[in-house]
C-alpha cells in the first residue's frame, strides 16, 4: 500500500514538474478566437424578379343548345413574366404582397359538338395580386400566397382549311389563385424561388361571347 501510494504521488509530481519546465521555455498558446454566429437573413424590403414555367389547364367550352361540356378539353404550354412586391418580417414570420404579370401560350383543342369543326382555346396572358405569409429559416423562406387573378383568353371553332368561325373571340377573365413556394436567398442579395400555383379563371366572371349580329356566331356562348 505504501509503495503504491508513493508511486502515484511521484507520478503526479513528475507531471507537474514537466509542465512547469515547458511553461518557462514556451510562450503560452493564444486564446481561441470567439465563435461568431452567422448573421440572420433579413427578408424585409422591396423585391422584383423574372419568372418562367409551364402550365396545365382544364378548359370549359359551352355551346348554347349543345350537350353540356361537349367540347371541354385539356390545355398546356409555357409562360414567362415579371413580378414585384414588398415583404415585412417579424421574427421568423414574413408577411408581404406581390403583383405578377405573365405572357402565356397555354393552348388546347378537341372536336366541337359538330365534329367537322375543332374547338380550341388559348390563355394569352395572366397575372395576380396576392398576399403572402411565410416562415423564414435564415436563408430559406417557405411561404403560401393567395389573391385575385386575372387574364386574357380566346376560343375558336374552325374547320380545316377554313377561317375561324368566331373572329372576335377574345375576352378578359378573372378569378382567384393560391400558391405554395420556397425561396433561397443567395449571398449576392439575389434570391431563387420555385412555386406551384393554382388559378381559377371562372367563365362566370369573364365569359367569352361571340358577336350576336351574326347567326352563326350567336350559337356561341
Amino acid at each position: 500500500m505504501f509503495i503504491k501510494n508513493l508511486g502515484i504521488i511521484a507520478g503526479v509530481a513528475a507531471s507537474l514538474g514537466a509542465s512547469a519546465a515547458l511553461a518557462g521555455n514556451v510562450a503560452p498558446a493564444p486564446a481561441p478566437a470567439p465563435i461568431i454566429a452567422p448573421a440572420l437573413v433579413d427578408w424585409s424590403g422591396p423585391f422584383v424578379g423574372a419568372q418562367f414555367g409551364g402550365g396545365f389547364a382544364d378548359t370549359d367550352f359551352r355551346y348554347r343548345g349543345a350537350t353540356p361540356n361537349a367540347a371541354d378539353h385539356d390545355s398546356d404550354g409555357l409562360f414567362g413574366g415579371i413580378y414585384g412586391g414588398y415583404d415585412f418580417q417579424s421574427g421568423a414570420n414574413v408577411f408581404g404582397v406581390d403583383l405578377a404579370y405573365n405572357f402565356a401560350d397555354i393552348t388546347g383543342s378537341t372536336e366541337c359538338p359538330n365534329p367537322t369543326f375543332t374547338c380550341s382555346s388559348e390563355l394569352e396572358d395572366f397575372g395576380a395580386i396576392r398576399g403572402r405569409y411565410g416562415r423564414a429559416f435564415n436563408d430559406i423562406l417557405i411561404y403560401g400566397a393567395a389573391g385575385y387573378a386575372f387574364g386574357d383568353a380566346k376560343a375558336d371553332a374552325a374547320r380545316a382549311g377554313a377561317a375561324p368561325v368566331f373572329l372576335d373571340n377574345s375576352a378578359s377573365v378573372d378569378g382567384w389563385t393560391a400558391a405554395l413556394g420556397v425561396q433561397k436567398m443567395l449571398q449576392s442579395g439575389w434570391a431563387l424561388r420555385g412555386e406551384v400555383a393554382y388559378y381559377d379563371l371562372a367563365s362566370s366572371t369573364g365569359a367569352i361571347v361571340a358577336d350576336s349580329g351574326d347567326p352563326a356566331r350567336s350559337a356561341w356562348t
Side-chain angles (χ1 to χ4, degrees), residues 199-221:
Y199 282 76
D200 186 342
L201 301 174
S203 60
S204 60
T205 58
I208 299 173
V209 182
D211 293 344
S212 59
D214 186 325
R217 297 180 184 178
S218 66
W220 171 278
T221 59

Side-chain angles (χ1 to χ4, degrees), residues 121-122 153-155 168-173 203 206-210 220-221:
S121 68
E122 178 183 0
K154 68 178 182 180
D168 184 13
N169 59 356
S170 295
S172 296
V173 293
S203 60
I208 299 173
V209 182
W220 171 278
T221 59

Side-chain angles (χ1 to χ4, degrees), residues 159-182:
R159 187 157 37 194
V165 174
F166 308 112
L167 302 179
D168 184 13
N169 59 356
S170 295
S172 296
V173 293
D174 63 358
W176 59 273
T177 181
L180 291 174
V182 60

Side-chain angles (χ1 to χ4, degrees), residues 2-67:
F2 180 78
I3 296 174
K4 288 182 180 179
N5 285 338
L6 182 61
I8 294 173
I9 294 172
V12 173
S15 298
L16 291 175
S19 299
L22 290 172
N25 296 319
V26 180
I35 299 175
I36 301 175
L40 296 179
V41 171
D42 183 8
W43 289 91
S44 59
F47 59 87
V48 294
Q51 60 189 8
F52 66 91
F56 304 90
D58 176 19
T59 303
D60 293 335
F61 231 88
R62 295 187 178 93
Y63 271 87
R64 182 182 302 145
T67 303

Side-chain angles (χ1 to χ4, degrees), residues 51 79 98 100 130 132 143-145 177-183 193-199:
Q51 60 189 8
F79 67 87
D98 66 11
R130 313 182 306 179
R132 303 202 314 161
Y143 68 89
T177 181
L180 291 174
V182 60
Q183 289 182 235
R193 82 175 187 179
E195 182 179 288
V196 176
Y198 175 82
Y199 282 76

Side-chain angles (χ1 to χ4, degrees), residues 100-128:
Y101 179 79
N102 302 282
F103 293 102
D105 183 20
I106 299 177
T107 62
S109 63
T110 190
E111 287 184 350
C112 295
N114 178 349
T116 62
F117 289 83
T118 296
C119 289
S120 63
S121 68
E122 178 183 0
L123 182 61
E124 300 174 300
D125 57 67
F126 67 95

